[in-house]
Amino acid sequence: MLSKIIEETRKKGGTGQFLRFCINGVIAAAIHYGVYFLLQLWIDVNIAYTVGYIVSFIYNFIATNYFTFHTTPTWKNFIGFAGSHGVNYFLHIVLFNIFLWLGVHRLIAPPLVMLVAMIVQFTILRFVFTKSKNSVYEKSNQSNE
């Protein structure tokens, strides 16, 4: 299944999107982990993880539109993005607590969770952002025709 997703992404010109997604994801993950790392010293790890997720979500929505998929932010994209991140947050918090329950150190668990969730998130977001007709590139190509 994963190889089929990768092949379809490559055929549809999504290789650049995937590279930008990875760059954006690294920055968002660094923001998430940085906030988590600081807050977990003083508050419950689940709350710290959630606050870090929310801060990175705000950055991520803006960067996903402008950088990753070259789209203009719309309410439709925001709703799709928030929906995909709702699913992603649930996946994150469940995996985070499973890793903690398995005895993984609280500073090691977040990167493991982020690694597992990355492919799921790209697949969901690619569907959300490429199904809408607000791509900056599509608009410029249509006006040149």
Side-chain angles (χ1 to χ4, degrees), residues 1-11 18 21 115-124 126:
M1 170 137 176
L2 179 59
S3 62
K4 183 178 179 180
I5 292 169
I6 292 169
E7 183 61 25
E8 283 297 313
T9 300
R10 188 189 61 73
K11 283 182 184 176
F18 185 72
F21 173 82
L115 182 65
V116 171
M118 181 185 73
I119 292 173
V120 173
Q121 188 66 3
F122 177 75
T123 303
I124 294 169
R126 180 164 167 72

Side-chain angles (χ1 to χ4, degrees), residues 89-107:
Y89 172 76
F90 179 75
L91 177 65
H92 270 248
I93 206 72
V94 167
L95 289 171
F96 179 67
N97 281 285
I98 288 172
F99 282 129
L100 293 177
W101 179 76
L102 291 172
V104 175
H105 191 273
R106 69 177 188 234
L107 296 179

Side-chain angles (χ1 to χ4, degrees), residues 26-139:
V26 166
I27 295 167
I31 291 168
H32 182 182
Y33 188 79
V35 171
Y36 166 78
F37 181 82
L38 292 173
L39 292 180
Q40 60 85 32
L41 297 170
W42 297 288
I43 62 175
D44 177 75
V45 292
N46 282 293
I47 295 170
Y49 195 86
T50 299
V51 171
Y53 193 92
I54 291 168
V55 171
S56 85
F57 170 85
I58 294 165
Y59 158 79
N60 206 349
F61 176 70
I62 295 165
T64 296
N65 272 282
Y66 290 112
F67 177 67
T68 303
F69 295 109
H70 300 288
T71 54
T72 304
T74 65
W75 283 109
K76 181 179 177 183
N77 278 359
F78 179 78
I79 291 167
F81 192 80
S84 75
H85 271 272
V87 171
N88 194 45
Y89 172 76
F90 179 75
L91 177 65
H92 270 248
I93 206 72
V94 167
L95 289 171
F96 179 67
N97 281 285
I98 288 172
F99 282 129
L100 293 177
W101 179 76
L102 291 172
V104 175
H105 191 273
R106 69 177 188 234
L107 296 179
I108 304 290
L112 295 176
V113 170
M114 291 172 195
L115 182 65
V116 171
M118 181 185 73
I119 292 173
V120 173
Q121 188 66 3
F122 177 75
T123 303
I124 294 169
L125 288 176
R126 180 164 167 72
F127 177 79
V128 168
F129 282 92
T130 59
K131 292 299 178 192
S132 64
K133 299 296 182 192
N134 68 336
S135 170
V136 172
Y137 289 138
E138 285 177 21
K139 287 179 182 177

